Amino acid sequence: MNGKPALVITGASGFIGNHLVDYLKEDYTIFAIARRSRKEANIPYHANLHWLQCDITNWNTLAGAAEYIRKHGGVDYIIHLAAFYDFTYEFNPAYETINVNGTRNMLDFSIAVSAKRFLFASSLAACNFPQGNNVIDEQTPPDADYHYAVSKKLGENLVRDYSAQIPCSVVRFAAVFSDWCEFAPLYKFLSNWLSNKMDSRILGGKGESAIPYIHIKDLCRLLKIVCEKSESLPSFEIYNASPAGSTSHSEIFEIATNYYFGRSIKPFHIPKILAYPGLFLRNILTSLHLTGEEPFERYWMIRYIDQKLNIDSSATQKKLEWLPTPRYHLTRRLLFLLEKLKSHPVEWKVKNEAALKRVAGRVNLIIYDKMIEQKDVLLAKIKEEILENPRQLFTPFLQLEEKDLECYISTVYHLLMAAIRSSDRSLLLKYLDKIAIHKFAEGFEPASLCGTARIFSDVIINHLICYKELSKFRQEIYDYVGLSMQIAQDEIEDLYDELANESPSELIPKPAFKTSCRELQKMIIQLSAFYQVSPEDFNLSDEYLKNYMQ
C-alpha cells in the first residue's frame, strides 16, 4: 500500500460521489463502490483509486468487495452516499432495498473490514419544514413523512444502533450543487425562468419557497474534515452540511434573470390556491401536445409553497471547525452557473439531464446475478448442446478431453458475465482473441468457434427469459447476451482472416493446460468487478491466460 489512509465511497459514480473521489484521490487510497463500471461512469484512472463494481443490496457481491479490500490493506473510513430518490413522491421499493437494506449491508460491511468510522449521508429534506421563526438544527428529528424522508430516518436509526459497534457520523446534506448546477430542481427552475416560455415569469405564492444549498466543494471539504477528526469525535453525532438559513425562489429568480437578460424582470406571482388548477391545466395541455415537455413541478410540491427550510448549522461549524465558503454561497456562485450555461449550453444540458435520471436497479447486474445463480445449470446445458449437436463443425470440440472442453465453456461463460457486469464488451473480445489465436493453432475453423458462440447465446437467452422476474427484460437480455456473442463471432471471423493472411500457424505454440481452469476463472470473475483498478491488472490476467494456454 502507499501509506495513505484508505476509505470506501459508495455511490461513487453519482454526482456527489464523482466529485468526492476527485477531491480526495491525492490524499487517500479510495475503494470506490458503484453499480456502474468505471467506463460507464467516465472515471479516469488514478493510482490511488480502486473501482469496485457491485450492488450494495447484494451481500454476496459486497462480501467479495470486503475480501478484496482486506487483501489490499484494509480501510479506515466508509462514506456511504449510495441512495435512491426520485421526484414522483410515489412509493418505490428501492427506498427500502437501497436506502434501508443497503445501509444495513454497508454497516455490516464496515464491521467486516474493521473500519474506524462510518459516515452516513442523510438529508435536511428528511426534516419537516419548521414553522414560524424556528430552524432545523442538529437535534431536529427527521420527521417528514414522504417515502424518501422515511427511508433516511430509518437509515439514521440504523446508524445510531450500530454506533455501539463502530463509530458513526450522520451528515445531513443541504441541496448540493456545482458550477454546472447538477441539482435537478434548480436546473429546471433556471431553465424555465431563463426561457421564452409563457410560464417563465411565474413564481408560486410570494416566491418565498426556500431551501438551503451547499456547493459540492464545501461538502467535500466537510466530509474530509470528519475523517480527519474521526478520533476526537463521539461514537455518534449528527452534522448539518449547510450554510445558515435558506435561499428563496424570488432571490434566485432576481439574480438569474437580471444577470442573464441584463435587466430586471418582474415575476408574476400565482396565489397558492390557484397553483393546483394551474398545474392541472398545464398537465392537460401537455397531454394534448399543446405545450412542450411535461412540467417538472408535481402536485406534492404545492404544499411547500412559501415555506422555508431554514437551517442552523452552528453546532456543526463549531465542532468540526468548518465554515461554508462565502464565495460558494448560491447567491454569489449563481453567476458562475450562468456563465457555464451561456458558454457551454450543450454540456450544461447534458450534465443536468444526466443528473435527473435515477436508476433503482441496473438490469445488467440483475442478469449477472441470475447467471451466477444458474451457472452450473447453464454450463451443463451448453456442454450438452455442443456434444449432442450432429453438425460436423463441432467435431474439434468433441475431440477435446472432457476437462478441456469444460474449461473452455466455463471460461467463455465467465468472460461473458464479466462483460455483462461491467457493461464493457472489450473485456470479452480481448480474451476471446487470445483463445481464438490458440484455437487457430490447433486447427479449429472459425465456424466451430462461432457455432459455440451461438449456442451460448441461444441457451442463456432461452433459459433466462423463462424467469418471471426477468421476463420484462427480454430486450435487455438479448442486448447483453445475444449482441455480445454476435459481436464475439464477428471478432473471431475478423481475427481468423488476419491470422490466415499474416500469421503462419506454425509460429503459434500449441496450448497445453498448465494453470488450473478454476484459477483462470477466479481471475476473470475478479476482473468483472475490479478490472479497472490499474492498467497492470490486464497484464497480470494476460499472464494467467498465457500460462493457461502454454
Side-chain angles (χ1 to χ4, degrees), residues 39 83 142 304 323 380 407 544 549-550:
K39 180 179 179 180
Y304 297 108
L323 285 173
C407 191
Y544 264 78
M549 289 297 187
Q550 290 179 348

Side-chain angles (χ1 to χ4, degrees), residues 272-308:
K272 184 175 181 178
I273 194 171
L274 297 180
Y276 282 102
L279 183 55
F280 178 78
L281 177 61
R282 284 183 63 189
N283 287 330
I284 291 294
L285 293 175
T286 300
S287 67
L288 296 175
H289 306 289
L290 298 177
T291 61
E293 62 184 21
E294 180 184 357
F296 173 74
E297 292 82 1
R298 301 290 188 269
Y299 291 111
W300 65 264
M301 298 179 182
I302 296 173
R303 65 186 283 196
Y304 297 108
I305 289 179
D306 289 335
Q307 293 195 40
K308 295 178 180 289

